[in-house]
Structures are given as C-alpha cells and as structure tokens.
Amino acid sequence: QVQLVESGGGSVQSGGSLRLSCAASGYTVRNNAMAWFRQAPAKEREGVAAVSSGGNTRYADSVKGRFTISQDNVNNTLYLQLNSLKPEDTAMYYCAAVPPAYYRIYASLTPTTYTYWGQGTQVTVSS
C-alpha cells in the first residue's frame, strides 16, 4: 500500500524559509516522477514543482528561484525547500506520485498526471 506523508509546514513571516518533506512508504522515490502541489481556500489546486523519472525539474513561474524540489533516495523522501516566502504562498501543500515504474520523461505540474497523494501540510506566511 502506497503512503505519502507530508510534514514540515508551519507559520512563518514573509521572507522566511521552510522545508517540506514527503516520506514515502510502499513506494520508491528513486526514478519515479513526483510533484508538489498547493491549494489555497477557494482556489484550484496548483502545481508548484515537479521532478521527472529522469530527474528533470519544473517549477511554476510564481516560485521559480525561490523553491527547490529534491529527492532523497537514501531516506526515500521528496523535499520542497521554500525560501523568500510571501503571503501569497499560504496554502495546503501536497505531494503526489505517479504509479511505480510509470516512466515520465517530462516533469508535470498537471494534477491528473498523479495517482497517489498525501494528506497535506499547511504553510502560512504572514506579512
């Protein structure tokens, strides 16, 4: 059974940093396409950062240069480093993964690409 468990969210002031973690069980992070999404109240789910099966990354324009996605194959965990946070980054953040061995050449920010989802971790940025 695949489980993705996010952690690391919290409340920070504008300009602060957080590191989100997505611990995977029943699933191998290595060589599998995964992504981070976020959803603010009354808004649609938005792709933030993604990594392809080959390790290529893609970011939403709104977070380029501030967020970094990475995979830790030893700890079987996906990370999202959030720097220079802004109030508009406030949202619930979710990690997502494709089915095992479903090879994706390109990193996708489209929610329908992903089958497995975590429960989310809240990020709140105050001005």
Side-chain angles (χ1 to χ4, degrees):
Q1 183 180 358
V2 175
Q3 280 195 314
L4 303 174
V5 180
E6 300 96 333
S7 61
S11 297
V12 296
Q13 290 191 327
S14 182
S17 298
L18 287 171
R19 188 176 79 158
L20 307 183
S21 300
C22 173
S25 60
Y27 188 88
T28 301
V29 168
R30 181 187 181 94
N31 294 332
N32 277 310
M34 300 182 72
W36 286 95
F37 291 80
R38 66 185 180 188
Q39 189 166 18
K43 291 190 175 181
E44 290 188 356
R45 190 163 294 194
E46 173 192 21
V48 174
V51 57
S52 72
S53 301
N56 297 315
T57 58
R58 183 178 179 184
Y59 296 92
D61 288 343
S62 59
V63 307
K64 279 181 183 176
R66 301 189 298 122
F67 292 7
T68 304
I69 189 171
S70 62
Q71 291 171 302
D72 182 341
N73 297 329
V74 173
N75 294 306
N76 207 36
T77 299
L78 181 74
Y79 296 107
L80 184 68
Q81 179 68 41
L82 291 68
N83 295 329
S84 303
L85 282 161
K86 305 175 182 180
E88 51 264 42
D89 294 319
T90 295
M92 186 73 79
Y93 283 70
Y94 301 89
C95 71
V98 300
Y102 177 58
Y103 194 87
R104 281 203 58 91
I105 297 175
Y106 303 107
S108 171
L109 294 177
T110 304
T112 54
T113 299
Y114 301 94
T115 300
Y116 303 107
W117 293 82
Q119 83 291 345
T121 186
Q122 178 69 36
V123 172
T124 303
V125 185
S126 58
S127 57

